[in-house]
Amino acid sequence: MITTDTLSLTFSALADPTRRAILERLSHGRATVLELAAPFRISLPAVSRHLKVLERAGLIARGRDAQWRPAQLQAEPLKDVSVWLERYRLHWEESYERLDDYLSEVQKKQKPYKEQE
Amino acid sequence: MITTDTLSLTFSALADPTRRAILERLSHGRATVLELAAPFRISLPAVSRHLKVLERAGLIARGRDAQWRPAQLQAEPLKDVSVWLERYRLHWEESYERLDDYLSEVQKKQKPYKEQE
């Protein structure tokens, strides 16, 4: 069974470097499949498949022009990721603080040695 | 071929509601497989498989005690997600601003109507 909750759909769409590169390109403005395919050295059908995954996750919208259908970034699902992420900020900041504590402890221990030089 | 870049590995691990619930549980402190399985109504082997995915993504560490191996949240990969996400903040804030603009425009249009009441 394919997971369909929104956040899982978003994370799953983001779990691919080419799709993230497509989003990065679209963050500078809308682009057609042809324009998107150019820098990636992948086939047009492959780009189309990536766009379908991004569209299904609500991360892009496609134009109505049947031939070109330019893709456009839709950043709203990323806001939900940001909200989800925020509760863990304390945890990664804490772990960096622990590293800071460790490093300043190491420095303290090294000081007397340096003074003896 | 399985994608192995770190960010894809993290996003892929997060693309599952049970794995996100496990991380949420671990954000309150370390827990064994048994403790993690209890609230989820899934089998111990299923929890173990989820923990392996989370461990491979560096989102948890397991204790050395062979029998219990309590799992512990490692939030560092989430910091990388946060850094990646930050460049899109402007985009989702802009789209909310556009919504704000639209709503205040609608309100403006409604005002004369209300005044006539």
Side-chain angles (χ1 to χ4, degrees):
Chain A
M1 207 187 88
I2 294 164
T3 316
T4 48
D5 76 280
T6 317
L7 210 46
S8 296
L9 216 57
T10 309
F11 281 129
S12 180
L14 296 175
D16 181 281
T18 305
R19 286 199 289 273
R20 291 197 304 277
I22 288 174
L23 288 183
E24 160 70 16
R25 164 66 187 80
L26 294 177
S27 74
H28 303 293
R30 61 176 68 196
T32 63
V33 174
L34 260 177
E35 288 168 332
L36 288 169
F40 293 122
R41 284 196 255 171
I42 54 174
S43 68
L44 293 184
V47 172
S48 284
R49 278 196 297 275
H50 283 311
L51 290 179
K52 263 179 202 145
V53 175
L54 291 170
E55 195 175 13
R56 188 162 170 257
L59 286 162
I60 64 161
R62 308 286 303 270
R64 281 181 197 171
D65 182 324
Q67 201 181 354
W68 297 109
R69 304 197 67 209
Q72 186 174 7
L73 179 70
Q74 302 280 100
E76 288 78 4
L78 298 178
K79 188 186 160 68
D80 299 334
V81 171
S82 173
V83 169
W84 178 86
L85 207 56
E86 210 44 44
R87 79 186 77 169
Y88 295 98
R89 180 176 296 278
L90 196 68
H91 289 274
W92 75 68
E93 281 174 354
E94 264 176 7
S95 63
Y96 276 83
E97 269 169 32
R98 279 201 301 273
L99 183 65
D100 273 353
D101 290 350
Y102 170 75
L103 290 176
S104 57
E105 210 169 291
V106 167
Q107 279 183 322
K108 271 182 206 162
K109 279 181 187 163
Q110 284 181 334
K111 258 184 189 168
Y113 175 77
K114 275 190 181 170
E115 279 162 6
Q116 283 168 6
E117 282 181 325
Chain B
M1 209 187 88
I2 295 164
T3 316
T4 46
D5 76 281
T6 316
L7 211 45
S8 297
L9 215 58
T10 308
F11 280 129
S12 180
L14 297 175
D16 182 279
T18 306
R19 285 198 290 272
R20 291 198 303 278
I22 288 174
L23 287 183
E24 161 69 15
R25 165 65 187 82
L26 294 177
S27 75
H28 303 292
R30 59 177 68 196
T32 64
V33 175
L34 260 177
E35 290 167 331
L36 288 169
F40 293 123
R41 283 197 257 170
I42 54 174
S43 67
L44 293 184
V47 172
S48 284
R49 277 195 298 275
H50 282 310
L51 290 180
K52 263 179 203 148
V53 176
L54 290 170
E55 194 175 15
R56 190 164 167 256
L59 286 161
I60 65 161
R62 309 286 303 270
R64 282 184 195 167
D65 183 324
Q67 201 183 352
W68 298 107
R69 303 198 67 208
Q72 186 174 7
L73 178 70
Q74 302 280 99
E76 288 78 3
L78 298 178
K79 188 185 160 71
D80 299 335
V81 171
S82 173
V83 169
W84 178 86
L85 207 57
E86 210 43 44
R87 78 184 80 169
Y88 295 98
R89 179 176 295 278
L90 196 68
H91 289 274
W92 76 67
E93 281 175 354
E94 264 176 8
S95 62
Y96 275 82
E97 271 171 30
R98 278 200 302 272
L99 183 65
D100 274 354
D101 289 349
Y102 170 75
L103 291 176
S104 57
E105 211 169 291
V106 167
Q107 279 183 321
K108 271 184 207 161
K109 279 180 187 164
Q110 283 182 334
K111 259 187 189 166
Y113 175 75
K114 277 189 180 171
E115 280 162 7
Q116 280 166 12
E117 283 180 324

